[in-house]
């Protein structure tokens, strides 16, 4: 009997092992097992079990007899094989993202910590050598000791018997007189039983209270009554209850302030727990999982588990086992929590669904928002997408259900002022209006936050005579200028070099700066406000979590009057607030050559505007821009999110970009340019035969007749990988039909280029196109 095993670290191959006779009755599809891999032992998951076919040739006979055997299988009652729902989930992921099933199966492999021992045994050849050969004292001592140990000995127990033991053992092992075998100790089968259960008293019944005011006794009132008075948004709770009553797979969205979403989340958890079901709550970042999980534990005690990739191997394994045994009602985690073996999922809540962190950067390149929907389908669960400002994809899908209000951001509505830099002298960094606002706030003892989403001193150092700027020799991109110390740094590989005194192209000695970064703005602020304490919060200045905490604490204690930051500041667990929030270049993100640049800028500005408050009183926001009529800035300035969503949706539809279409990024990589080019030519011909053209996408509207296959395009990925890399970008209004074409292309590619040292990767619905 043979079994196919998928291993966590191997994306493309399913390994075949022999099933020992004593394990035949214990092996099933989904069984977690321990198998040898090279010189190590790793955990795996059984994906198929099949009979060994009669060998038709000596080569096949040799292949089957050389297969290694499964070492152990988890056999305890609480270690039953994984449920079929997880296998259905990875099959959906494989079909949707056009990747091998094995690349998806690794997502559900148990994260067990395998404890193994390696023992040395005497072979029959070794016994014969003891009788028939004249051996050295060292060799004879080892063989005699092993002869008296039929169960073998640890290698360490032999090292003190002789001198130079390592060389001696290696020598007699090559002669076949001894053999080393990897074994799983019997105690390892119960390795996680103690750690999977938390010590202490039994979980007490949950006490329901408002997450945002844990000490208020009024919070113990029925939560449904409270919700009806929060911003008048009981409509959202009615939508959720209707979905719960309908049962089975349902989808809805909650677009509201974070405080209301947390109350709705709490009430929804209570409802699904009453049904005897479990819930998964997804958040984009690890620190958010720890924070939200801590809040929910105050309500549900030990029935809440936190799961993410930053846990140690042992801790992650213990929590995985506890979840599998059904001891937790709610799991809060990052995207990997979607693949946990909860027995009966009734809720999948995706918090901040618009966050790009939900897109995995490795095969199978899945997006957690889409996989959450798949998990809801296979488990018959309610899927909720929570956000303050939804992604354009979610807005389009739930357009009829979403209603924005001025209170939906959850913060006091600040006063807005927009400054047109185009009407000011060229080179103006801080307008008179912004300087006056800062002066007024600082004189009143208040604080200021300035957000400029570009670190460093300048975007580039440009020669005045020839216009050339130094590029990274490895990555080919323009180097950024940094000060203190003065240096040029590559944004991709982070290699740095000293700034040149003369231009290497024309020997010119005069340089000019292109654009402004946070370092340059910090110097200008220090000259304008010499008596104020100014701090810079960007990834170049804040290297660790401790440094971030210290700067934010100093700002909250008003030891810092002006805080200058990038978008990195908004990603902190609790961003600081200030009376004045200003954007010296509010349109900076709109110039990035990416069709999503407007949406990213809108989300960044929306988060920052919510910080304009002082003791819950509305503050002031000043937007400096050269594009005051752009729909992103108009939506922010007028507090009208629909202005952005409707105009951006129409623009994407006209150009054939998501959500009007789906994108598929096809990447071809290889060390040899000629081989890569042959594959690129093949793919170009195949894609031309797919018939991808612009098509009518909605009633009354359609795309411009633009090419739906873009490429081939030469590309370099951040990090300066020394590979030839070519891209195709495919836009399709009929994803299922295009997926069918791609499966045919994959089969033909495998037939023609199976032995070529060229890698072809497919990324469905990519976020980054590079």
């Amino acid at each position: 009997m043979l079994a196919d095993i998928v291993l966590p670290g191997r994306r493309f191959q399913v390994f075949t092992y022999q099933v020992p006779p004593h394990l035949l009755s214990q092996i099933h599809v989904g069984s977690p097992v321990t198998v040898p891999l090279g010189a190590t032992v790793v955990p795996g998951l059984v994906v198929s079990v099949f009979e060994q076919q009669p060998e038709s040739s000596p080569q096949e006979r040799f292949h089957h007899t050389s297969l290694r055997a499964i070492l152990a299988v988890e056999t305890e009652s609480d270690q039953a094989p994984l449920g079929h729902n997880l296998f259905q989930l990875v099959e959906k992921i494989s079909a949707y993202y056009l990747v091998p099933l094995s690349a998806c199966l690794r997502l559900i492999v148990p994260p067990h910590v395998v404890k193994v021992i390696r023992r040395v045994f005497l072979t029959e050849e070794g016994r014969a050598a003891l009788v028939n050969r004249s051996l050295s004292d060292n060799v004879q001592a080892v063989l005699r000791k092993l002869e008296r140990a039929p169960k073998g000995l640890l290698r360490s127990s032999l090292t003190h018997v002789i001198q130079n033991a390592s060389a001696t053992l290696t020598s007699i092992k090559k002669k076949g007189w001894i053999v080393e075998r990897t074994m799983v100790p019997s105690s390892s089968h119960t390795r996680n039983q103690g750690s999977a259960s938390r010590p202490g008293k039994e979980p007490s019944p949950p006490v329901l209270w408002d997450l945002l005011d844990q000490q208020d006794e009024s919070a113990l009132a029925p939560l449904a009554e409270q919700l009806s008075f929060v911003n008048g948004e009981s409509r959202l709770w009615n939508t959720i209850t209707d979905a719960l009553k309908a049962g089975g797979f349902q989808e809805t969205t909650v677009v509201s302030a974070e405080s209301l979403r947390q109350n709705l989340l709490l009430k929804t958890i209570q409802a699904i727990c009453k049904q005897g079901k479990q819930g998964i709550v997804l958040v984009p970042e690890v620190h958010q999982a720890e924070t939200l999980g801590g809040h929910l534990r105050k309500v549900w005690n030990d029935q809440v588990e936190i799961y993410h990739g930053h846990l140690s191997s042992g801790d992650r394994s213990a929590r995985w086992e506890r979840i599998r045994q059904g001891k937790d009602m709610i799991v809060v985690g990052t995207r990997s929590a979607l693949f946990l073996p909860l027995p009966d999922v009734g809720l999948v809540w995706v918090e901040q669904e618009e966050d790009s962190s939900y897109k995995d950067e490795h095969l199978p390149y899945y997006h957690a928002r889409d996989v959450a929907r798949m998990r809801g389908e296979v488990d018959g669960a309610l899927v909720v997408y929570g956000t303050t400002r939804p992604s354009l994809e979610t807005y389009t899908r739930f357009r009829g259900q979403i209603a924005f209000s001025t209170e939906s951001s959850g913060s006091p509505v600040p006063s807005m002022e927009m400054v047109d830099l185009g009407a000011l002298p060229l080179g103006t960094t801080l307008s008179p209006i912004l300087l006056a606002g800062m002066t007024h706030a600082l004189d009143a003892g208040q604080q200021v936050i300035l957000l400029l989403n570009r670190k460093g001193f300048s975007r580039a150092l440009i020669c005045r005579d020839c216009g050339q700027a130094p590029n990274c020799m490895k990555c080919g991109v323009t180097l950024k200028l940094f000060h203190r110390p003065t240096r040029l740094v590559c944004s991709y590989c982070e290699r740095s070099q000293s700034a040149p005194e003369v231009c290497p192209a024309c020997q010119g000695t005069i340089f000019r700066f292109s654009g402004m970064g946070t370092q340059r703005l910090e110097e200008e602020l220090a000259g304008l406000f010499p008596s104020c304490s100014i701090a810079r919060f960007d990834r170049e200045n804040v290297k660790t979590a401790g440094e971030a905490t210290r700067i934010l604490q100093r700002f909250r204690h008003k030891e810092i009057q002006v805080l200058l930051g990038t978008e990195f500041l908004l990603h902190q667990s609790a961003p600081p607030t200030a009376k004045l929030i200003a954007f010296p270049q509010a349109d900076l993100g709109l110039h990035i050559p990416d069709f999503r640049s407007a949406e990213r800028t809108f989300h960044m500005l929306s988060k920052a505007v919510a910080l304009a408050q002082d003791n819950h009183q509305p503050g002031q926001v000043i937007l400096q821009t050269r594009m005051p009529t752009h729909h992103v800035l108009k939506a922010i300035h007028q507090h009208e999110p629909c202005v952005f969503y409707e105009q951006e949706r129409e623009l994407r539809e006209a150009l054939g970009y998501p959500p009007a279409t789906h994108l598929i990024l096809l990447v071809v990589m290889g060390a040899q340019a000629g081989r890569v080019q042959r594959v690129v030519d093949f793919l170009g011909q195949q894609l031309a035969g797919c018939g991808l053209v612009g098509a009518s996408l909605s009633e009354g509207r359609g795309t411009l007749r633009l090419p739906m296959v873009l490429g081939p395009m030469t590309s370099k990925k951040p990090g300066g990988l020394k590979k030839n890399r070519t891209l195709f970008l495919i836009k399709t209004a009929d994803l299922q039909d295009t997926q069918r074409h791609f499966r045919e292309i994959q089969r033909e590619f495998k037939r023609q280029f199976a032995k070529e040292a060229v890698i072809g990767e497919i990324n469905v619905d990519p976020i980054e196109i590079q």
Side-chain angles (χ1 to χ4, degrees), residues 501-678:
E501 295 183 0
V502 297
C503 175
C506 71
Q507 306 303 310
T509 58
I510 301 178
F511 296 89
R512 62 182 178 86
F513 304 130
S514 173
M516 171 176 286
T518 51
Q519 283 188 333
R520 186 176 176 186
L521 182 57
E522 182 184 25
E523 289 188 3
E524 187 162 337
L525 288 171
L528 293 170
F529 302 95
S531 61
C532 290
S533 174
I534 301 171
R536 178 164 49 89
F537 198 98
D538 56 27
R539 291 187 184 274
E540 196 269 335
N541 194 47
V542 180
K543 302 291 187 181
T544 66
E547 292 176 350
T549 301
R550 284 193 293 273
I551 292 177
L552 295 181
Q553 285 180 345
R554 289 183 59 208
F555 186 79
R556 291 189 178 99
H557 295 158
K558 295 196 173 183
E559 298 174 13
I560 297 173
Q561 283 77 48
V562 179
L563 185 61
L564 170 60
T566 61
E567 189 176 3
F568 179 50
L569 177 63
L570 304 179
H571 292 168
Q572 303 307 301
S573 57
T577 60
K579 185 67 175 179
L580 174 62
I581 303 291
F583 302 88
Q585 295 180 17
D587 53 25
L588 191 61
L590 299 176
H591 303 290
I592 297 174
D594 185 342
F595 74 91
R596 285 193 175 91
S597 61
E599 184 177 4
R600 288 171 172 163
T601 302
F602 174 76
H603 283 135
M604 190 270 288
L605 294 177
S606 298
K607 291 178 182 178
V609 165
L611 304 179
Q613 53 178 299
D614 185 27
N615 294 324
H616 302 289
Q617 297 300 313
Q620 182 185 10
V621 174
I622 297 178
L623 302 164
Q624 291 190 165
T625 176
R626 294 185 180 276
M627 306 171 68
T629 60
H630 195 282
H631 57 284
V632 169
L633 297 167
K634 287 174 64 178
I636 296 295
H637 182 235
Q638 299 171 9
H639 300 290
E640 290 289 346
C642 283
V643 171
F644 163 74
Y645 284 106
E646 289 301 318
Q647 291 193 35
E648 185 69 12
R649 189 177 65 84
E650 291 181 8
L651 180 62
R652 299 268 191 96
E653 191 166 289
L655 297 175
Y657 281 111
T661 63
H662 286 272
L663 294 184
I664 298 178
L665 179 65
L666 180 55
V667 183
V668 183
M669 295 178 292
Q672 298 184 18
R675 292 183 174 182
V676 171
Q677 188 59 48
R678 283 196 294 272

Side-chain angles (χ1 to χ4, degrees), residues 154-214:
L154 295 175
R155 190 183 182 102
S156 58
S157 66
L158 295 170
T159 56
H160 68 274
V161 176
I162 58 173
Q163 295 180 349
N164 198 17
S166 178
T168 301
L169 290 173
T170 301
S171 175
I172 59 179
K173 183 179 179 181
K174 289 180 178 179
K175 295 176 181 179
W177 296 349
I178 64 172
V179 63
E180 280 191 275
R181 295 174 185 164
T182 303
M183 307 179 68
V184 180
S186 57
S187 59
S188 69
H189 294 303
T190 58
R191 61 189 174 274
N192 289 314
Q193 298 306 304
S195 59
S197 301
R198 295 197 185 100
K201 62 181 181 179
E202 290 296 317
S204 55
V207 178
L208 202 58
W209 53 14
D210 190 334
L211 291 176
L212 303 178
D213 190 6
Q214 303 289 354

Side-chain angles (χ1 to χ4, degrees), residues 747-767:
R747 286 191 289 269
E748 186 64 21
F749 173 84
K750 187 175 182 180
R751 189 183 68 81
Q752 294 191 29
F753 301 98
K755 296 182 179 181
E756 290 281 0
V758 177
I759 298 174
E761 289 187 352
I762 298 175
N763 187 346
V764 179
D765 300 329
I767 298 295

